[in-house]
Each structure stands twice: as structure tokens, then as C-alpha cells.
Amino acid sequence: MTQAQTFLAGTALALLAALPAWAEEFRIAVGDGAGGTQEALGKAFVAALEKESGGEMTGKLFLNGQLGDEQDTVTAAATGTLDFSILAINNITPFSPSVGTLTLPYVILSQEDAETVTQGEVGRQMIEKTVEDAGVRIIGWGYSGFRVLTNSKKPVASVEDMQGLIVRVPKNEIMIETYKSWGINPTPMAWGETFAALQQKVVDGQDNPYMTVYAMKFDEVQKYVTELRYIFSIEPLIVSEALFEGLSEEKQAQILAAGEAATQASSAFLREQESRIRDELVARGMEITPPADGEKGFIELATAQVWPKFADQIGGIEVLNGVLTSLGRPTV
Ligand code: MLT
């Protein structure tokens, strides 16, 4: 059993029998299906919440967007009609532009980068901005790996190969502009509509991490993978700020501690599972192509065109430079 699985199983078993009948049960929306990062983060959070609160608080996961599309769950949590949601960071950006730094292409270049930014001072500032802008509080961070490009038509190694593909992107301006920098006019579409659009060939492709491709069974409708590394997908756990503010300080502290435990479990989960999931997708018939020339063509176009365009929106060039400095990289 892996470290993450042992944590989940041990905590869940110990508490299952102990939960009192009056335990407060929160509803937790999860955008993806079973088997991916979002579910793992959610399970770890529920187990830790039960432990931290001595069984007085628990949560129920609703997978596959049952409680609404990812962007809609932000609005629902902000208005207090939903308790928690686990979703991709790119689906929070439209409500809180400051987190856009995390979807700027080629800023986060590894899992370590993602952990450094989210768990340090930069992440703390983003949490405060998101409370102000969107009425939701990020209390845990999930890590999903790089968003690889998948499509049903052909192997893609270069920007030239990509031309002519119809690619679904989230309704996220930064991601739309990134594809435009590569000469593609992408199709912005809600997450919940994506599988059907791929299946019905309304679009040829999309990008998401291997973990998500697996959890959503995209291998059933997509064959070719290009191992782009333009965005490292971060999948936060958010709580309605209205709900959070209404809780006692003790319960708030328990929720924050559970979010921290879930963050650590998510880091371990990705490290343990990503290469296994990648191999599994290959075994199911997906074909992987590395980007040509170390991805140089993609990197040059995206960074030159997209970074300057969104600097103001994410809070100024100093915000981007703050992130780059925290990662030990040269500023712009
Ligand atoms: C999206 O592509 O909209 C999201 O990345 C989906 C997800 O949360 O996995």
C-alpha cells in the first residue's frame, strides 16, 4: 500500500465507527471522476477533517460535476449555496485574476515549483485575494501534473503540426490567448461538456493532466498525446467564505489543519501515481509524442505573447516577478 493510500485507509477506518449521529456533513463538489487527484484530495480532506474535529465534522464528495460545472461551483460557494468545491485553478481565475499567475504558460515548471508557490508567501497572498475577489477561501492545494495535449486526429510534435486542430480550452482568457499565440483559435467550453464534445467530434482535442485524462476516461475518445508542459495543473479545495466565517475559531482551525493534511497527501499521491497512470493510458492505446526541439517553439511564442498581455490583469508585472523570484528564476 502506498503512503497516500495508507493515510486514507487508516484514518477512514479509525473514524468510521466513531462518527456521532450529529456530525455536521458538508457537501463537497468535485469536477472530475473517480481515480484522479481531485478525488484523492477530497478523500484525504474528509478523513483529516473527521480526525481533527473528533468526528464532529465530515464531508460527502459529489464527483463528476454532480453539483454543477466547476466555474458554477465558485459562484455557488460564494453565495453560500455550496459548502466546498475541488476544481482546477484555471476555473477560479475568471473570478479572481490574481491566481492567473498559476495559469500563465511556462511559469510553474515542476511539482516542486507548484508546491513552493502555493505553500509559501505567494500562495498566502493569493488566498487572501481570492477571498476578497471571489468570496471563496482556498484551504488546500491539489497537484495534478502538466496539462498534456490530447487529440483524436494525429501525432503533434510542433506548433506547425497543431495547425488545423479544433482544441477545447476552459473558459480562461490566458489559456485561450496561449493557443492563439500558437496560431490556433481554440473553442472555450465548460468542463462538464468536454467529454461529449470529444466523443461527438465537435472538437478534436483538449489539454489536461494524465491524472485527469484517466479520471475522465478520455482515452476512450482520444488517441494522441503531446507532452506539453505549459501549465502544471493545480487543483485547489475551496470553502464558501460565508460558511467559513460563520464557524467558531476552533472549527476554522480544524478545517485549515485538514486542508493542510490533504495538501500533503495530494503531493504524495501525484508522486506515487502519475507514472503508473501514464503507463496505464499507454496500455489502453494512447500514443505519446514528445514536443520537438525541447518544446522551444511552443515556449517562445507563448511567453513572448502571453506574459506581457496578462501582466496587468494578474496584479502587475511585480506579481509575476514575485513568483519568479520565489522560484529562483530571473525576473522579466
Ligand atoms: C478544465 O479543463 O476545465 C479543468 O482543468 C478540468 C479539471 O478540473 O480537471
Side-chain angles (χ1 to χ4, degrees):
M1 211 183 245
T2 64
Q3 196 189 332
Q5 283 166 335
T6 309
F7 172 82
L8 292 177
T11 323
L13 274 180
L15 286 156
L16 204 59
L19 276 191
W22 61 86
E24 191 169 3
E25 184 177 271
F26 296 117
R27 292 186 321 147
I28 306 175
V30 181
D32 296 349
T37 300
Q38 294 188 357
E39 185 196 38
L41 181 74
K43 282 183 169 172
F45 175 68
V46 170
L49 185 62
E50 291 174 356
K51 184 168 170 227
E52 290 289 336
S53 68
E56 289 199 2
M57 290 188 284
T58 184
K60 183 167 179 198
L61 305 181
F62 293 83
L63 299 177
N64 268 315
Q66 286 172 74
L67 297 186
D69 214 81
E70 288 197 3
Q71 293 196 1
D72 296 336
T73 66
V74 180
T75 318
T79 54
T81 56
L82 174 67
D83 304 328
F84 290 82
S85 177
I86 299 173
L87 70 172
I89 192 79
N90 49 272
N91 286 328
I92 301 184
T93 322
F95 307 94
S96 187
S98 72
V99 295
T101 322
L102 300 178
T103 38
L104 275 184
Y106 302 107
V107 168
I108 307 289
L109 300 179
S110 64
Q111 181 169 351
E112 290 71 28
D113 280 2
E115 290 161 350
T116 301
V117 170
T118 53
Q119 295 176 35
E121 177 56 20
V122 172
R124 201 194 55 70
Q125 285 170 12
M126 279 178 189
I127 292 171
E128 291 313 315
K129 284 296 285 175
T130 308
V131 170
E132 268 171 43
D133 296 343
V136 297
R137 178 178 293 270
I138 297 170
I139 55 139
W141 300 97
Y143 306 101
S144 250
F146 288 106
R147 294 180 72 107
V148 298
L149 173 70
T150 68
N151 85 89
S152 58
K153 289 230 158 129
K154 57 180 181 180
V156 170
S158 63
V159 171
E160 291 70 36
D161 295 341
M162 199 187 236
Q163 302 312 304
L165 282 184
I166 304 173
V167 181
R168 173 269 170 183
V169 287
K171 294 178 186 172
N172 175 303
E173 286 303 321
I174 297 176
M175 295 166 83
I176 294 167
E177 287 302 320
T178 302
Y179 275 88
K180 286 189 177 164
S181 79
W182 295 331
I184 297 269
N185 200 4
T187 305
M189 185 183 286
W191 181 227
E193 293 162 20
T194 306
F195 185 91
L198 294 167
Q199 189 175 43
Q200 289 157 20
K201 304 207 180 302
V202 175
V203 293
D204 302 320
Q206 63 86 46
D207 69 62
N208 258 296
Y210 282 120
M211 309 301 286
T212 311
V213 171
Y214 174 79
M216 301 307 290
K217 301 187 169 51
F218 282 175
D219 54 288
E220 292 175 6
V221 289
Q222 298 279 270
K223 177 156 180 70
Y224 302 102
V225 176
T226 309
E227 284 196 325
L228 292 184
R229 301 167 77 82
Y230 86 113
I231 292 176
F232 184 99
S233 189
I234 293 170
E235 321 254 340
L237 164 63
I238 59 172
V239 60
S240 158
E241 182 63 6
L243 172 100
F244 189 77
E245 285 297 322
L247 294 172
S248 66
E249 275 183 23
E250 187 190 12
K251 285 191 169 175
Q252 288 181 353
Q254 290 164 348
I255 286 177
L256 294 177
E260 170 58 27
T263 301
Q264 298 312 323
S266 178
S267 285
F269 180 78
L270 184 64
R271 288 200 167 87
E272 286 163 2
Q273 299 296 324
E274 191 177 31
S275 65
R276 183 187 69 76
I277 297 283
R278 180 182 184 273
D279 292 349
E280 172 69 26
L281 291 169
V282 171
R284 292 182 188 183
M286 295 197 92
E287 225 180 86
I288 298 178
T289 306
D293 200 12
E295 210 167 329
K296 200 160 160 241
F298 292 98
I299 297 171
E300 284 179 358
L301 288 166
T303 51
Q305 294 183 36
V306 181
W307 286 14
K309 205 171 254 169
F310 287 92
D312 283 348
Q313 208 180 91
I314 62 168
I317 200 75
E318 61 279 9
V319 173
L320 174 58
N321 280 334
V323 172
L324 294 170
T325 303
S326 75
L327 297 175
R329 305 235 305 276
T331 54
V332 288

